[in-house]
């Protein structure tokens, strides 16, 4: 019996300029480019073992057998890895997260980044980072950004070959922190994949996409110049544009809780007072408060006094996905 095993760790990421809607859903070619920060401190550990004695894939997430839909999505991704490696062997996949999954904390990003790297390594291959990023993109769009550390841009392209991510500033380039305000650890109702399919039903999506190049350029510049207040404006605008598209889709998607809006309002007020903090929100109710590290203690303390706050996770710029010893 031949067993080939490898393990990898990947961090999730928080998009500053968001991916919402696909030009090609099957290939996960996004309607617009995006920029994110890889989030250190939160991580997915995944081990893949190709085992010739198996007659199907076996997938466990956080110690439990994965649901039918999650298993199907992971198996489809293993098929992509098997195709690259020229093998047909089934695999055991064990994946563990140190943060709540499915609550808008981008667990699919770290999950498919770690799965891609562990799977390729277990198959005895090594891919160039851009190739690995393209592979991860097919599993979950945002996963292509989690292959890289620090500040990352994913290029929207009309072709599979052209749509991958790259890091443009290392994790230590700018001492930002992400205070992730958890309002609910419950699994969200409508997942991102279903949400992307609704984007084009909003009359606002075309305007959001048409202006994306300008926002990407402004975000890149603000990061490279470490210009916090410009970054804050463009991040919040981009977040609000994506949620406006969600709110005006058919059917509408409303991820916010009343407390989400209270946090957004409080963060805006704190920034007017001079604190370096801004908000961004993915497909869930939780709020990411991006701040410079010198303001992080004060902001975290204030967040704990707001209604509905269950927990505040503190994260920092994270590293690229890496192969690790199996545990
Ligand atoms: C709101 O990458 O989770 O977080 O490709 O269907 O897996 P799939 O979608 P996913 O979408 C992420 C949406 C977002 C914005 C972003 O991360 O850019």
């Amino acid at each position: 019996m031949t067993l080939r095993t490898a393990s990898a760790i990947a961090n999730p990421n928080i998009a500053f300029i968001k991916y919402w809607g696909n030009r090609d859903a099957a290939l996960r070619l996004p309607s617009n480019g995006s920029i994110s920060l890889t989030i250190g401190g939160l991580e997915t550990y995944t081990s893949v073992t190709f085992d010739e004695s198996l007659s199907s894939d076996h997938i466990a997430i956080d110690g439990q057998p994965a649901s039918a839909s999650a298993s199907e999505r992971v198996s489809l991704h293993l098929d992509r890895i098997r195709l690259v490696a020229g093998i047909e062997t089934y695999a055991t996949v064990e994946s563990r997260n140190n943060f709540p999954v499915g609550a808008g904390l981008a667990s699919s990003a770290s999950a498919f980044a770690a799965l891609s790297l562990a799977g390729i390594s277990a198959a005895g291959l090594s891919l160039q980072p851009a190739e690995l990023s393209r592979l991860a993109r097919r599993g979950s769009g945002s996963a292509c950004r989690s292959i890289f550390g620090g500040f990352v841009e994913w290029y929207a392209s009309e072709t599979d070959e052209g749509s991958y991510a790259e890091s443009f500033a290392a994790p230590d380039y700018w001492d930002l922190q992400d205070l992730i305000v958890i309002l609910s650890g419950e699994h969200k109702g409508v997942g991102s994949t279903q949400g992307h399919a609704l984007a084009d039903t909003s009359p606002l999506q075309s305007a959001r996409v048409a202006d994306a190049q300008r926002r990407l350029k402004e975000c890149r510049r603000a990061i490279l110049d470490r210009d916090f207040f410009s970054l804050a404006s463009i991040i919040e605008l981009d977040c609000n544009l994506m949620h406006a598209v969600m709110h005006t889709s058919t059917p509408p998607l409303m991820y916010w809780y009343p407390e989400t809006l209270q946090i957004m309002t409080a963060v805006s007020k704190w920034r007017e007072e001079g604190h370096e903090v801004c908000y961004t929100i993915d497909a869930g109710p939780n709020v990411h408060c991006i701040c410079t590290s010198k303001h992080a203690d004060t902001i975290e303390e204030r967040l704990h006094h707001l209604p509905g706050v269950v927990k505040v996770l503190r994260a920092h710029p994270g590293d690229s996905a890496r192969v690790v010893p199996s545990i």
Side-chain angles (χ1 to χ4, degrees), residues 103-120:
L105 294 188
S107 56
S108 69
S110 49
F112 282 92
L115 177 66
S116 301
L117 181 55
I120 283 292

Side-chain angles (χ1 to χ4, degrees), residues 15-326:
F16 288 174
I17 303 296
K18 312 271 186 201
Y19 148 52
W20 196 247
N22 282 302
R23 176 199 300 267
D24 181 326
L27 284 176
R28 283 192 159 82
L29 297 178
S31 301
N32 61 280
S34 52
I35 288 179
S36 60
L37 175 66
T38 300
I39 305 175
L42 274 59
E43 53 190 42
T44 301
Y45 163 91
T46 298
S47 71
V48 175
T49 305
F50 289 108
D51 178 347
E52 280 172 6
S53 71
L54 295 175
S55 53
S56 64
D57 294 320
H58 289 261
I59 302 88
I61 301 174
D62 291 325
Q64 303 292 325
S67 66
S69 62
S71 293
E72 192 189 344
R73 191 167 170 185
V74 170
S75 274
L76 263 175
H77 202 59
L78 288 169
D79 287 343
R80 294 182 189 111
I81 294 167
R82 285 186 275 252
L83 190 68
V84 174
I87 57 172
E88 292 185 350
T89 318
Y90 291 109
T92 301
V93 175
E94 286 192 62
S95 192
R96 287 177 194 281
N97 300 286
N98 71 351
F99 59 96
V101 296
L105 294 188
S107 56
S108 69
S110 49
F112 282 92
L115 177 66
S116 301
L117 181 55
I120 283 292
S121 307
L125 301 175
S126 149
L127 293 180
Q128 291 299 317
E131 289 301 300
L132 193 61
S133 175
R134 285 177 54 226
L135 172 68
R137 188 199 82 226
R138 300 288 308 277
S140 173
S142 54
C144 77
R145 299 187 307 237
S146 274
I147 296 297
F148 299 94
F151 300 83
V152 178
E153 179 162 1
W154 170 17
Y155 308 115
S157 164
E158 285 173 25
T159 65
D160 178 34
E161 289 71 32
S163 190
Y164 57 89
E166 257 173 356
S167 176
F168 63 93
D172 62 359
Y173 186 80
W174 194 1
D175 199 6
L176 294 183
Q177 303 224 339
D178 180 7
L179 304 176
I180 308 165
V181 187
I182 307 291
L183 294 172
S184 165
E186 280 171 34
H187 217 277
K188 66 190 174 198
V190 178
S192 304
T193 305
Q194 290 164 275
H196 288 295
L198 296 178
D200 283 328
T201 66
S202 164
L204 304 183
Q205 171 73 347
S206 54
R208 192 190 74 85
V209 171
D211 183 56
Q213 280 303 336
R214 184 191 69 82
R215 297 193 305 281
L216 286 163
K217 192 170 164 208
E218 175 61 7
C219 182
R220 224 180 287 125
R221 187 205 61 76
I223 291 167
L224 292 174
D225 290 350
R226 300 187 187 89
D227 174 354
F228 189 85
F229 289 102
S230 296
L231 182 75
S233 306
I234 203 72
I235 286 182
E236 290 188 357
L237 171 66
D238 190 85
C239 167
N240 293 343
L241 280 170
M242 180 184 74
H243 284 273
V245 167
M246 292 164 161
H247 296 167
T248 52
S249 296
T250 305
L253 285 176
M254 304 272 183
Y255 287 108
W256 297 351
Y257 294 166
E259 293 87 350
T260 309
L261 200 52
Q262 282 175 302
I263 296 168
M264 294 162 75
T265 311
V267 165
S268 299
K269 190 170 133 265
W270 298 336
R271 193 160 74 254
E272 273 163 32
E273 291 167 6
H275 292 284
E276 290 174 337
V277 60
C278 63
Y279 64 77
T280 188
I281 304 152
D282 277 345
N286 302 316
V287 184
H288 292 250
C289 296
I290 310 296
C291 56
T292 53
S293 63
K294 70 171 184 252
H295 290 265
D297 286 341
T298 313
I299 301 300
E300 184 173 353
E301 216 271 315
R302 290 185 181 195
L303 285 168
H304 280 293
H305 290 103
L306 294 181
V309 174
V310 176
K311 210 183 331 180
V312 178
L313 306 175
R314 197 154 166 169
H316 50 83
D319 289 322
S320 49
R322 56 243 173 234
V323 173
V324 293
S326 298

